[in-house]
Amino acid sequence: MSRPTSRLLYLLSLLQMRRDWPGSVLAERLDVTPRTVRRDVERLREMGYRITAMKGPDGGYRLDAGAELPPMLFDDEQAVALVVALRAASASGIGIDEPAARALASIRHVLPTRLRHRVDTIDVSTIPATGSSPPPAVDPEVLVAVSAATHRREVLRFAYASDTADRPARRVEPHHVVTASGRWYLLAWDLNEDDWRIYRLDRMAPRTPTGPQFAPRDVPGSNPGTYVAARFKGSGHADQWPCVGEATLALPPEQVIPFAGDGVVTAVGHDKCRLRAGSWSWTALATWFGRFDAEITDVAPEELAHAFTTLADRFRRARALHRAE
């Protein structure tokens, strides 16, 4: 690696890989003398990189964070990953579409031709989940404020969209920020309710200053993502539906699979299938099976069969009331 420019880029990539590098090891990696390493380090400093020289028998160097963003170095895989992430920014639920577009333009401008051709073929379109509207975008400043309080373990004060004007700011111990299906949530211990609560970031307005530091509590089940998913399903701690049942549908599997969600479809001949699914209640699960508009047989367990009876009676009463009108 005799060319100065190539050697400089390689030196920078080495410094980005780990925190501390002995000078002799860098010289060996670059196949140069320690004196040349010192000169190359000075050149990187002139470009804006903060590189600290470490004292000791062998000496060494450390790449530190600087006050300004210096030129960055990415390999091919990193460059492609950045482009994919930036193109999909609109699906993140954070209001960064315009900054992401500017960052993408900046990166594309400096890409070598071979990479530019590759990333130009990446075209990402996002659509909301079936039957739902796009989630409201989260203000990036809200995400930063909530994440900062979570990282520093400081009590967070905020107003919530459903609060009345005269309600005092809520006080919580923020534990984890969780994202799912384009929405962003805060899992926190509510100091007023003395219980775990989940808040949507797009409905939060953080207040300053934050409160005192707190000792983190153990999240039920230890995994915050699993706990939040479980709460969304109406379960206590495990990421599973509290009500799970199955039935045979008079439809071929290929007509059921696209709409089965997290249900499990098993073929029963060419014109029937067995569907196992879950929901937060038995009546909700029975209604979900009914959405396939097909004959339903062999229902299990008994709770699900009873829910079909409950719905049938409810629908008959609704029909009778309609005729009476």
Side-chain angles (χ1 to χ4, degrees), residues 76-237:
D76 289 9
E77 289 80 7
Q78 289 173 317
V80 172
L82 279 172
V83 170
V84 171
L86 290 169
R87 288 197 185 279
S90 61
S92 69
I94 302 296
I96 56 172
D97 290 18
E98 192 272 335
R102 288 191 287 110
L104 179 60
S106 297
I107 292 175
R108 185 187 179 281
H109 181 72
V110 297
L111 287 177
T113 302
R114 71 178 190 283
L115 271 183
R116 190 178 302 130
H117 289 328
R118 288 181 62 189
V119 301
D120 282 349
T121 64
I122 302 172
D123 189 12
V124 180
S125 298
T126 60
I127 58 175
T130 303
S132 66
S133 58
V138 175
D139 186 335
E141 293 302 319
V142 172
L143 175 61
V144 170
V146 172
S147 299
T150 303
H151 177 73
R152 294 194 295 259
R153 300 299 185 192
E154 294 176 348
V155 171
L156 180 66
R157 300 167 56 249
F158 63 94
Y160 207 56
S162 58
D163 293 346
T164 58
D166 58 346
R167 173 168 178 163
R170 300 188 185 219
R171 296 173 60 254
V172 302
E173 295 176 354
H175 279 260
H176 295 277
V177 174
V178 179
T179 180
S181 302
R183 295 189 187 275
W184 291 74
Y185 304 91
L186 172 67
L187 174 60
W189 179 266
D190 193 301
L191 294 172
N192 293 329
E193 301 295 333
D194 200 31
D195 196 5
W196 291 101
R197 290 289 187 269
I198 300 170
Y199 297 99
R200 279 175 43 178
L201 264 65
D202 61 280
R203 297 180 176 177
M204 296 174 62
R207 297 288 187 258
T208 55
T210 53
Q213 288 189 314
F214 61 89
R217 303 171 188 264
D218 292 331
V219 175
S222 301
N223 187 302
T226 299
Y227 178 71
V228 171
R231 291 285 294 269
F232 288 165
K233 290 181 176 178
S235 180
H237 306 313

Side-chain angles (χ1 to χ4, degrees), residues 30 47 50 56 58 100 112-113 140 176 188 194 202 204 223 225 256 275 300 304-305:
L30 297 170
M47 295 169 61
R50 290 184 56 183
D58 191 35
T113 302
H176 295 277
D194 200 31
D202 61 280
M204 296 174 62
N223 187 302
V256 175
L275 174 58
L304 179 57

Side-chain angles (χ1 to χ4, degrees), residues 12-31:
L12 180 57
S13 68
L14 291 175
L15 291 171
Q16 291 174 335
M17 286 174 56
R18 51 187 276 190
R19 184 169 178 82
D20 300 331
W21 278 95
S24 59
V25 176
L26 285 176
E28 181 179 352
R29 286 290 193 97
L30 297 170
D31 194 23

Side-chain angles (χ1 to χ4, degrees), residues 6-80:
S6 299
R7 188 178 67 242
L8 203 64
L9 290 174
Y10 185 43
L11 171 59
L12 180 57
S13 68
L14 291 175
L15 291 171
Q16 291 174 335
M17 286 174 56
R18 51 187 276 190
R19 184 169 178 82
D20 300 331
W21 278 95
S24 59
V25 176
L26 285 176
E28 181 179 352
R29 286 290 193 97
L30 297 170
D31 194 23
V32 296
T33 65
R35 181 179 179 181
T36 300
V37 172
R38 288 195 295 271
R39 287 202 305 264
D40 288 347
V41 166
E42 285 301 322
R43 292 181 62 191
L44 288 175
R45 286 171 175 163
E46 293 172 358
M47 295 169 61
Y49 291 94
R50 290 184 56 183
I51 302 176
T52 302
M54 299 180 296
K55 297 180 179 180
D58 191 35
Y61 301 95
R62 172 188 303 162
L63 179 61
D64 296 325
E68 297 180 355
L69 185 65
M72 304 297 287
L73 177 66
F74 302 107
D75 59 29
D76 289 9
E77 289 80 7
Q78 289 173 317
V80 172

